[in-house]
């Protein structure tokens, strides 16, 4: 009986000492560290690449979509350009291609919610556009498609895709 009490006291003292030591290290960490974005798990049937053409001089190109989650219930969409090209004197004068991406989602927060993402990409690959979309947590059906940037009517101008995602 005495041995059991002595052992419990020893374990309790060791736990308190460990908490003090690790607590000291935890408070020494910088307080301004930003939380890391979490990658979002999901399934896309074909590809996360959107091929499109733009608003002038036969400009065309593609962009890749990547999903992360900066906080609970929010999906961060990052579109990265693979580079756009065009033809003619107008493209040489203004090598920027304007495209309107429309992201649609079906989730616990919205039924057929839409987010308009105007984008301008040049000939240099790696240009990025980032938008946060409030989707809520859980399963989300997320679609992305390019539309005409200079038309009052929604005219699809390229290939889009649909993804099924688990947003934290």
């Amino acid at each position: 009986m005495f041995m059991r009490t002595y052992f419990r006291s020893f374990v309790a003292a060791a736990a308190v000492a460990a908490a003090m030591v690790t607590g000291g290290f935890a408070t020494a960490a910088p307080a301004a560290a930003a939380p890391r974005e979490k990658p979002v798990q999901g399934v896309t049937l074909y590809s996360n690449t959107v091929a499109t053409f733009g608003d002038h001089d036969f400009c065309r190109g593609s962009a890749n979509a990547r999903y992360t989650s900066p906080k609970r219930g929010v999906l961060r969409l990052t579109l990265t350009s693979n580079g756009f090209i065009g033809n003619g004197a107008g493209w040489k004068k203004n090598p920027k291609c304007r495209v309107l991406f429309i992201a649609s989602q079906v989730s616990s927060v919205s039924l057929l919610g839409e987010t308009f993402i105007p984008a301008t990409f040049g000939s240099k690959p790696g240009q990025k556009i980032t938008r946060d979309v409030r989707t809520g947590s859980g399963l989300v059906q997320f679609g992305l498609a390019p539309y005409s940037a200079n038309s009052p009517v929604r005219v699809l101008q390229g290939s889009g895709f649909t993804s099924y995602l688990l947003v934290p």
Side-chain angles (χ1 to χ4, degrees):
M1 177 110 162
F2 174 72
M3 190 67 147
R4 189 182 288 169
T5 307
Y6 180 75
F7 183 72
R8 285 184 186 166
S9 299
F10 175 76
V11 170
V16 168
M20 286 174 39
V21 169
T22 58
F25 287 130
T27 57
R36 251 183 79 205
E37 293 181 2
K38 299 173 188 142
V40 174
Q41 295 179 353
V43 174
T44 303
L45 296 180
Y46 298 111
S47 173
N48 280 356
T49 301
V50 178
T52 184
F53 57 93
D55 62 339
H56 72 93
D57 293 302
F58 303 106
C59 68
R60 62 219 176 261
S62 64
N64 293 326
R66 186 175 61 92
Y67 307 111
T68 55
S69 179
K71 61 183 181 179
R72 188 173 179 84
V74 175
L75 180 71
R76 179 166 287 165
L77 170 68
T78 303
L79 291 169
T80 306
S81 168
N82 292 324
F84 279 67
I85 59 172
N87 295 0
W91 178 256
K92 289 179 183 170
K93 188 178 185 181
N94 180 18
K96 300 284 185 190
C97 195
R98 286 187 328 130
V99 179
L100 174 66
F101 293 100
I102 298 180
S104 60
Q105 75 265 5
V106 176
S107 65
S108 62
V109 172
S110 64
L111 179 65
L112 295 177
E114 292 181 331
T115 304
F116 292 82
I117 306 168
T120 303
F121 293 122
S123 58
K124 201 175 197 180
Q127 297 171 334
K128 293 183 180 184
I129 301 287
T130 302
R131 291 290 185 275
D132 287 346
V133 181
R134 187 173 166 266
T135 59
S137 296
L139 183 63
V140 175
Q141 178 186 356
F142 192 83
L144 185 71
Y147 287 86
S148 174
N150 54 0
S151 173
V153 180
R154 287 190 189 170
V155 179
L156 185 66
Q157 60 182 40
S159 65
F161 62 85
T162 299
S163 298
Y164 296 92
L165 308 169
L166 285 174
V167 178

